[in-house]
Amino acid sequence: MTLADRIREAARFIREKTTITPRVVAVLGSGLGASELEMKSGVVLPYSSIPHMPSVSIPGHKGELIIGTIAGTAAAVFSGRVHLYEGYTAHEVTFGVRVMAELGCETLLVTNASGSTRPEFDPGTLVLITDHINLTGEDPTRGAEATELGTRFLGLTDAYDPGLRFLAHRAAREESIRLAEGVYAASRGPCYETPAEVQMLSSMGADLVGMSTALETIAARHGGMRVAGISCVTNLAAGIEGSSPDHEEVKLVAGEASGKLARLFRSFVKLLGETSS
Ligand code: HPA
């Protein structure tokens, strides 16, 4: 069975469970719970029930796909993310996004937790991702199987859609939430960076560093979707003002900021529904 066959089989399964075609799908990073998004009339599909969907192995990540409406717009939420550092391949990490593209979903909203290379982005700051630096060494468009899903040489200029970025800033203004902008560097993890690596990332132009997002964005663009990314800074990256990242702190700060992120998210989806329906 090819990757495209597996994607079609998973999409068929989801179509049997709901008649809703999500217009927007969110992949939730650490700390943001789906319940805070106030989704209506959702079907909840555990990843283990979806054919070929990888499971989530880390505590705090649930592993459910929820399909319903958010602020009146048909939406899907992947509550629980699949990471490279769990040992999964680039195709596995991006499988859910591929299935959403197959279902006809137009927009991906990725959220994540990150360390900041800039002292002024203190913990709790929300940052709109303007671009990424993919340092994972992986690319979900690599290999013969991926050519069935999209073009071979995908351009990634404006990978994070300028129109959606405009909308995200509008949503932030309406909710009186400070939304900074920055470039996200994606590492494979799971080790946090060394201070020397953080210095390198900073001089390369990265404002944030984390262990997700870039591959999902690439797969979504490959499938013709538009992408917006919002990062929650949970800590200063290693060595910045003497910082030493700690997973417990990351989870704590992400949890504390989750209400704010959920508000921004709902407002964003509402504007999205108004502007493109
Ligand atoms: N580095 C990498 N990933 C992260 C960090 C960090 O400092 N904080 C949260 N996710």
Side-chain angles (χ1 to χ4, degrees):
M1 205 182 222
T2 67
L3 176 59
D5 290 334
R6 295 196 296 279
I7 290 165
R8 280 192 287 266
E9 192 169 309
R12 216 175 304 124
F13 171 84
I14 292 167
R15 276 199 205 97
E16 282 166 11
K17 302 288 174 197
T18 177
T19 54
I20 299 172
T21 299
R23 295 190 45 211
V24 56
V25 58
V27 178
L28 303 186
S30 323
L32 183 59
S35 57
E36 291 174 287
L37 298 174
E38 297 170 27
M39 274 186 103
K40 294 261 159 61
S41 62
V43 287
V44 179
L45 305 173
Y47 291 177
S48 56
S49 72
I50 304 170
H52 315 294
M53 181 76 193
S55 55
V56 180
S57 68
I58 31 173
H61 285 247
K62 229 176 176 178
E64 286 174 348
L65 171 63
I66 306 159
I67 301 177
T69 60
I70 296 175
T73 297
V77 172
F78 283 102
S79 179
R81 174 178 251 134
V82 181
H83 298 87
L84 282 175
Y85 64 69
E86 294 169 82
Y88 289 117
T89 64
H91 286 171
E92 287 168 326
V93 164
T94 54
F95 186 77
V97 170
R98 295 287 198 186
V99 172
M100 284 296 137
E102 172 68 23
L103 286 171
C105 183
E106 301 140 19
T107 303
L108 169 68
L109 182 75
V110 269
T111 71
N112 61 48
S114 65
S116 163
T117 68
R118 294 175 51 169
E120 68 271 28
F121 290 178
D122 52 346
T125 304
L126 298 184
V127 184
L128 184 66
I129 299 173
T130 55
D131 205 347
H132 74 224
I133 301 174
N134 178 10
L135 299 172
T136 64
E138 304 280 347
D139 182 333
T141 68
R142 181 172 155 265
E145 284 197 308
T147 56
E148 275 189 76
L149 304 170
T151 182
R152 166 50 84 210
F153 298 106
L154 176 68
L156 289 173
T157 312
D158 286 335
Y160 298 85
D161 189 81
L164 294 181
R165 276 153 53 191
F166 179 81
L167 218 57
H169 279 301
R170 222 180 106 192
R173 265 196 314 277
E174 288 187 6
E175 293 293 326
S176 304
I177 290 169
R178 175 177 164 236
L179 184 62
E181 284 200 340
V183 173
Y184 176 90
S187 84
R188 181 154 60 173
C191 284
Y192 289 116
E193 302 67 38
T194 64
E197 287 165 345
V198 169
Q199 282 309 307
M200 175 193 75
L201 294 172
S202 176
S203 61
M204 282 163 82
D207 305 298
L208 308 168
V209 56
M211 303 176 195
S212 66
T213 300
L215 302 190
E216 291 149 349
T217 296
I218 294 170
R221 297 295 301 132
H222 199 222
M225 299 170 81
R226 298 192 300 167
V227 180
I230 298 173
S231 188
C232 172
V233 173
T234 53
N235 57 282
L236 294 180
I240 303 289
E241 296 187 343
S243 171
S244 179
D246 168 72
H247 185 56
E248 291 310 313
E249 182 197 349
V250 166
K251 282 194 295 189
L252 188 76
V253 176
E256 282 168 3
S258 69
K260 188 167 64 166
L261 184 51
R263 260 198 303 130
L264 177 61
F265 183 100
R266 283 181 52 79
S267 172
F268 174 82
V269 172
K270 185 161 163 277
L271 289 176
L272 194 65
E274 286 167 7
T275 51
S276 52
S277 58

